[in-house]
Amino acid sequence: MADAVPIRLLRPGAVALQALPPLALYVHLPWCLKKCPYCDFNSHELQGELAETAYLDALIADLESSLPLVWGRRIVSVFIGGGTPSLFEPEAIDRLLAAVRARLPLEPGCEVTLEANPGTFERERFRAFREAGVTRLSIGVQSFDDAALHALGRVHDAAQARAAVAEAAEAFETWNLDLMYALPGQTPAQLAAELEVALSFRPPHLSIYHLTIEPNTLFAVQPPELPDDDLASEMLDLIAERTAATGLARYEVSAFAREGHRCLHNLNYWSFGDYLGIGAGAHGKLSFPERVLRQVRWREPATYMARALEGRAVSNQHEPARAELPLEFMMNALRLKDGFPLRLFAERTGLPVSAALVPLQRARERGLVDWRDEGTADEWVQPTPRGFDFLSDLTALFVPARG
Ligand SMILES: C[S@@+](CC[C@H](N)C(=O)[O-])C[C@H]1O[C@@H](n2cnc3c(N)ncnc32)[C@H](O)[C@@H]1O
Ligand code: SF4
């Protein structure tokens, strides 16, 4: 059985948290059928058989070694992400969730999301994931247009995407559909057609990402022709208008939901909550009374599996300095359309509110944030529409001064 929290984490540290934040669990499953040319996630093209049992053994060993860091805390949400988690058999997901439940108390009604790819879709599979304890499916559709899917190097076609979404809607009360926009050669009319198909399924949640060219991807080497910024911004207006008309409210930069269907797991990230991240390349953030700890696991699946079994799954960990925490908090919380109570800053960073006042004042002067009920217990900060559109300028104000 695990020991108590390692003593070095209980020594005096840089901050003073009155209470620990909610704790979520992220599990990374790193394989895909094929690597997409735009993707910089820690995903690896599957070569040969999926090492399902060996990987699960490693995940369970990783979890077991992590228990001292989260002793006595409840899990508010679980997210099984990738890669393509739906490549794993439902029996493997069942074993994983049983192993989690045996080691960590889950809050009653805990949200358990699994990412699925239409290329791994079979009719009975989604229901079997549900039987295994998954409560929410997130389907990576990207587009409902065959030519666009081909340009994105996806393994599935539009018919498979439709079939997968229809099945998710049948099998799950809450689910998400991932789309991307500003695709190679895309016009607003084509995007409007995509949205019409997506919205016809009445998704409880929609994530729509602006396609970005990430370094270290095939698209960075051979960039496709993409819509320019003006066109992309016109597309975003179209997205806002069409989603709102069908009852999906934008609550974060890329996230839209019907009432009662926001993603609790992602909301915990955006509220600077804690998360234990297990699996190859997984990131974690864990708080202790006087410090915040960030962890990363070994990225290569084979290395991760070997090290996790030895109890050494973590490749790097560090404690962000006091000066870095305001930026870390704001990079998350300012993504929320409704903003956040300012007391959350103190609760989650363990710093006094005064640590963020100067950049917040600057942001207000530049019309990037609204600041309500100043000086009261209900003090609230919200990005203005301008701040929301220029989020990188807004968060840049919180970059710590050098020296
Ligand atoms: C971690 S991926 C996993 C989803 C799943 N493997 C799939 O692609 O079907 C989550 C989502 O991030 C988005 N995404 C990935 N790379 C992106 C990029 N370069 N630009 C914008 N969005 C991206 C896609 O919408 C994707 O569904
Ligand atoms: S399927 Fe998803 S995770 Fe895998 S390579 Fe494509 S975008 Fe990345």
Side-chain angles (χ1 to χ4, degrees), residues 31-32 34-36 38-39 41 43 82-84 117 142 154:
W31 290 284
C32 294
K34 181 169 166 275
K35 181 82 182 175
C36 302
Y38 56 85
C39 174
F41 288 96
S43 55
T84 303
N117 180 309
Q142 320 313 348
R154 298 289 293 180

Side-chain angles (χ1 to χ4, degrees), residues 125-152:
R125 206 173 174 85
F126 285 2
R127 283 171 203 273
F129 284 134
R130 191 191 165 123
E131 303 277 291
V134 172
T135 65
R136 181 175 182 272
L137 209 66
S138 175
I139 313 167
V141 165
Q142 320 313 348
S143 166
F144 287 101
D145 179 277
D146 278 332
L149 288 168
H150 181 72
L152 290 170

Side-chain angles (χ1 to χ4, degrees), residues 32 38-39 41 82-84 115-118 140 142 154 178-180 209-212 214:
C32 294
Y38 56 85
C39 174
F41 288 96
T84 303
E115 279 183 339
N117 180 309
Q142 320 313 348
R154 298 289 293 180
D178 275 351
L179 281 184
M180 295 194 295
Y209 303 101
H210 185 167
L211 174 65
T212 45
E214 305 287 350

